[in-house]
Amino acid sequence: MFRSAVLAALALIVAMPAQATDTPFQEALHAARNDDWETLSRAQARLGDEHPLQAYLDFHRLRAALPDLNPQRVQDYAERYPDSPLPNDIRQLALVAYARDERWDAARAVYDSAPRSTELRCLYWHAQWQAGNQEALNQARELWLSGNSRPSACDPIFDAARQRGQIGDREIWKRMDLAFYERSPGLMRYLRPMLDDSSYATAADWLLDLYGDPETLTDLPKDLPDDQRQVLLAAGFRRLAYTDTETAREWFEDKRGDLGFTDAALVERAGQRIAWYSTIRGVEDNRDWLDQWLREHGGNDLLDQRARRAVIERNWDELPDWIARLPQSERDDSRWLYWLGRAAEENGDDGKAKSLWQQAAGQRNFYGFLAADRLGEPYRFGNAVPTGDRALPDLPALARVKLLREQDEPGLAWSEWNWLMWHSDERRQRELAQYAVDAGWYDLAVQASIQARAWDVLAWRFPAAHRERFQEAARRYDLDPWLPMAIARRESAFYPNARSPVGALGLMQLMPGTARKVSREAGQAVPGEQQILEPNTNIALGSRYLADLLKQFNGNRILALAAYNAGPNRVERWLAEEEDDAVPADVWIESIPFRETRAYVQAVLTYRVLFQGLHGDTEERTALLLLPRERGTPYSVAMIED
């Protein structure tokens, strides 16, 4: 038996909390989800058999009949509803159910080729193995070789592959090495007992030791097979680069030869890792070695980080040299054009600075807008006129989307919409994008703009979604309404049912604990999960939380946004302790240690400019990115002291 990630992923269809049954369809769907067939029959009689959403009711009849369901009925369902995402959903459920019940003939009947997800692929190939398909064991080996845990549904096909030697000691050792690189010691410990009687057992023990204490790499036995020893040396240097970057560099320079670390590819890989941590941590004692390594070995990501390090340290003389080593496409990006302009300005060449900022200001993004502010020029939105034809033909999927949204089923509507996008050409996608904007389906409009790659049609990418709700919350909490709207656009693309892997919910991606805390502080009833997902509640709680962060950081939106993404405590640690070490706003944003948070702050501030410029009462598009006090204040802890 195994737990199924597929069932969890399909929970939106399979099991929803009770909803108000205001319509016959809602009553029927609620009954079907709860296997209440008597109530479903009564509701069905009122709906008739040709209701546009009949596929959802039929889906649950099939779902409830698993695993005894004849697989031909799954095929018949697909033929009856060919323009719907539901046939694929029932196939997934059927494969899981048949595999659990060991109905291998039925399991093979529901898919003609291997599905995408790891869990379903394992089940598919296990079913094929039961029919004697030898390719199944080759596929099992490919699925096995991962540094991350695999679903328990994969265990049977893995066991079969191990019993027949397709997964042997070498594959177990290789997977332990992959797990080391993925920082997954739990998986390493799980795999280790599989090598008890193996020639790899000693190496496996050393691999675990190196993860806990990489300095033991100097104690590695000389009599280990060289291929194993090379892997262990590479792993040890990689781990030491993380735990003690300076020592890793010293040993890499001075002890590599004595240790016999000679595999050229692994040596290169270890050196790149030491260079990476030397760069992002700004290890001063490693600087000479690092710069020489980069000149000889390069690597775009490393060079990018080295140029960023020059910005953080405000080494304006050396910055242009590092940027010059980047690919031309990177050098032409507004980010590096802006920083080259800053370096030119600091080095006294105002004419060159202006020329570089002119180039950067042509791009519609954070650094393009920063450059425009430096020049005192308006932002260039590059806004294209929508080209979608609003006279769409009658599309059954579009009718279902409309009905599902009316029935308060945004998740099901979202699935239907995505299916429709994937099965439409670019012209139809553009037509649908405009239709969604006109209908007020803001999340679907954004999704359509992405599918159509309509990057310049800002009416589709940045609709003024839930404008009245954001304005009401802004009045209540003394906020600029465009700022929480920009957060929602970044967090969820306005999809109200958005759920992150860590549990954040709704438009503004609130963690349940945060939502409860904000509610208690406001003297309001503590909301449940479904209430947090409701747009009015989510916007109100998210806006209040943003207002609290702005108060905590003395109205500085840069710091408040960083805290919204990464947490207030981290932001306080990122501020300089001494005012002499404080840096300007642009440098502080570039110095944010988390790549995600850097991108988040830049995106939200940029989106806010776009929303105000597109939908505000004024057509002013100048100096909207940063407030004067945000631009002019050096960033240190003094900013948040009372």
Side-chain angles (χ1 to χ4, degrees):
M1 298 295 289
F2 52 85
R3 292 191 304 168
S4 172
V6 169
L7 294 182
L10 294 176
L12 186 68
I13 301 174
V14 176
M16 288 283 287
Q19 303 286 327
T21 54
D22 294 332
T23 70
F25 177 76
Q26 287 175 321
E27 180 183 357
L29 185 58
H30 179 62
R33 282 169 169 158
N34 290 278
D35 298 343
D36 182 354
W37 309 118
E38 183 178 346
T39 301
L40 175 58
S41 295
R42 290 197 302 267
Q44 183 79 70
R46 305 207 308 273
L47 288 171
D49 293 331
E50 300 301 324
H51 191 276
L53 300 178
Q54 182 65 37
Y56 288 89
L57 306 181
D58 290 348
F59 173 94
H60 284 285
R61 290 189 175 95
L62 297 184
R63 184 266 308 163
L66 292 168
D68 299 322
L69 183 72
N70 186 324
Q72 182 59 44
R73 292 186 61 192
V74 175
Q75 182 61 33
D76 293 343
Y77 182 83
E79 292 175 1
R80 183 178 180 185
Y81 302 111
D83 65 338
S84 165
L86 292 174
N88 188 55
D89 294 338
I90 198 63
R91 283 193 190 97
Q92 294 180 43
L93 290 177
L95 179 55
V96 172
Y98 292 147
R100 281 181 169 176
D101 208 46
E102 299 186 356
R103 292 190 61 196
W104 301 116
D105 289 344
R108 287 190 294 275
V110 294
Y111 277 101
D112 295 329
S113 59
R116 288 187 177 183
S117 81
T118 298
E119 177 185 349
L120 293 177
R121 289 180 74 85
C122 285
L123 297 179
Y124 173 87
W125 287 114
H126 188 195
Q128 295 299 319
W129 168 247
Q130 291 295 325
N133 185 340
Q134 297 298 315
E135 176 61 20
L137 300 189
N138 294 328
Q139 293 296 324
R141 182 183 183 277
E142 295 302 313
L143 288 162
W144 167 269
L145 290 174
S146 169
N148 298 303
S149 295
R150 290 309 203 186
S152 59
C154 296
D155 292 345
I157 190 62
F158 287 165
D159 290 344
R162 288 183 62 200
Q163 289 167 11
R164 287 153 184 83
Q166 197 72 19
I167 295 175
D169 294 340
R170 184 178 181 84
E171 285 72 32
I172 296 167
W173 163 249
K174 176 63 175 175
R175 192 175 181 197
M176 284 192 69
D177 182 40
L178 292 171
F180 188 102
Y181 278 73
E182 292 293 335
R183 295 188 195 172
S184 185
L187 177 57
M188 294 166 63
R189 288 190 290 269
Y190 168 77
L191 294 168
R192 171 60 187 87
M194 299 180 188
L195 293 168
D196 273 346
D197 300 323
S198 167
S199 61
Y200 289 97
T202 300
D205 288 334
W206 275 103
L207 193 66
L208 282 163
D209 289 345
L210 286 170
Y211 193 88
D213 182 8
E215 294 194 18
T216 59
L217 67 86
T218 57
D219 301 325
L220 286 174
K222 300 287 187 181
D223 59 352
L224 281 170
D226 188 60
D227 61 335
Q228 296 175 19
R229 201 165 189 279
Q230 295 298 314
V231 168
L232 290 170
L233 287 166
F237 273 113
R238 180 182 180 87
R239 185 67 175 161
L240 189 60
Y242 175 74
T243 60
D244 188 342
T245 310
E246 187 175 345
T247 297
R249 186 268 307 167
E250 291 174 354
W251 288 13
F252 189 74
E253 279 192 297
D254 302 335
K255 298 185 179 184
R256 190 169 80 234
D258 294 339
L259 290 169
F261 191 20
T262 58
D263 185 294
L266 293 177
V267 168
E268 174 78 11
R269 192 175 181 183
Q272 291 287 81
R273 202 62 181 172
I274 296 168
W276 174 263
Y277 283 113
S278 298
T279 306
I280 66 172
R281 291 173 174 172
V283 182
E284 194 60 39
D285 287 343
N286 287 9
R287 186 60 56 82
D288 291 341
W289 171 85
L290 168 66
D291 289 354
Q292 184 61 33
W293 175 272
L294 289 177
R295 292 187 184 102
E296 294 175 357
H297 298 267
N300 292 345
D301 288 344
L302 267 172
L303 290 169
D304 179 276
Q305 289 295 329
R306 184 61 184 87
R308 177 172 166 263
R309 172 57 49 187
V311 170
I312 294 169
E313 296 174 356
R314 291 178 286 174
N315 290 325
W316 305 114
D317 289 337
E318 68 175 34
L319 176 60
D321 293 335
W322 290 114
I323 295 177
R325 295 176 182 273
L326 291 168
Q328 186 65 49
S329 61
E330 294 295 317
R331 300 200 300 272
D332 290 340
D333 185 77
S334 63
R335 177 190 180 202
W336 293 121
L337 289 170
Y338 173 83
W339 287 118
L340 280 172
R342 286 280 277 119
E345 178 190 52
E346 294 290 342
N347 292 325
D349 192 340
D350 291 341
K352 184 177 182 180
K354 183 176 181 180
S355 175
L356 288 161
W357 287 334
Q358 288 283 3
Q359 296 176 60
Q363 299 180 34
R364 183 187 59 238
N365 53 36
F366 178 77
Y367 282 108
F369 291 174
L370 266 186
D373 283 348
R374 288 273 174 178
L375 297 167
E377 295 182 356
Y379 306 131
R380 301 176 197 173
F381 282 13
N383 191 10
V385 177
T387 57
D389 179 0
R390 304 184 190 190
L392 279 164
D394 291 333
L395 301 173
L398 188 58
R400 290 195 299 270
V401 170
K402 183 175 186 296
L403 284 171
L404 286 166
R405 289 181 74 93
E406 291 172 354
Q407 303 292 330
D408 195 24
E409 293 285 350
L412 299 184
W414 175 264
S415 296
E416 289 274 4
W417 184 259
N418 279 322
W419 188 95
L420 184 55
M421 289 293 109
W422 296 329
H423 292 81
S424 298
D425 59 22
E426 183 177 321
R427 178 179 178 181
R428 176 57 49 80
Q429 289 167 349
R430 287 175 170 266
E431 292 169 351
L432 289 164
Q434 187 59 51
Y435 185 97
V437 169
D438 293 341
W441 301 347
Y442 305 116
D443 53 329
L444 305 188
V446 173
Q447 183 66 11
S449 75
I450 295 169
Q451 291 290 330
R453 303 177 66 83
W455 311 127
D456 293 332
V457 186
L458 303 187
W460 299 343
R461 294 185 62 203
F462 298 99
H466 308 284
R467 181 171 184 166
E468 294 76 14
R469 289 168 172 157
F470 282 112
Q471 288 175 331
E472 171 57 31
R475 284 191 292 269
R476 189 182 310 167
Y477 302 119
D478 193 24
L479 286 174
D480 162 21
W482 307 116
L483 191 61
M485 185 184 289
I487 288 175
R489 173 61 176 80
R490 174 67 177 186
E491 292 280 3
S492 66
F494 298 133
Y495 176 44
N497 266 30
R499 299 167 186 259
S500 79
V502 298
L505 300 171
L507 292 168
M508 297 187 70
Q509 286 292 274
L510 288 172
M511 293 298 292
T514 301
R516 290 192 291 269
K517 179 177 180 290
V518 170
S519 296
R520 282 193 295 268
E521 291 175 350
Q524 300 170 353
V526 176
E529 182 175 297
Q530 286 302 117
Q531 290 172 293
I532 297 172
L533 286 169
E534 199 278 322
N536 273 334
T537 301
N538 197 276
I539 290 171
L541 292 175
S543 296
R544 182 183 172 92
Y545 179 54
L546 175 61
D548 290 344
L549 290 173
L550 285 165
K551 182 177 180 181
Q552 180 176 346
F553 290 101
N554 287 336
N556 187 293
R557 300 170 308 159
I558 295 171
L559 301 181
L561 291 174
Y564 197 101
N565 180 260
N569 292 336
R570 286 195 179 99
V571 173
E572 291 181 8
R573 292 197 299 270
W574 295 340
L575 290 168
E577 292 288 338
E578 304 295 333
E579 290 196 51
D580 288 346
D581 296 325
V583 297
D586 55 357
V587 175
W588 191 86
I589 292 171
E590 188 66 63
S591 72
I592 293 173
F594 294 173
R595 185 192 302 266
E596 177 191 336
T597 305
R598 285 199 304 277
Y600 183 89
V601 170
Q602 294 173 19
V604 172
L605 290 172
T606 303
Y607 292 176
R608 198 211 71 82
V609 169
L610 292 170
F611 280 123
Q612 182 173 346
L614 292 168
H615 306 291
D617 295 332
T618 174
E619 295 186 3
E620 179 64 38
R621 293 182 179 178
T622 304
L624 300 174
L625 191 67
L626 301 180
L627 299 174
R629 64 177 180 274
E630 293 167 344
R631 291 194 301 269
T633 304
Y635 279 60
S636 72
V637 293
M639 301 175 68
I640 58 174
E641 292 174 348
D642 290 334

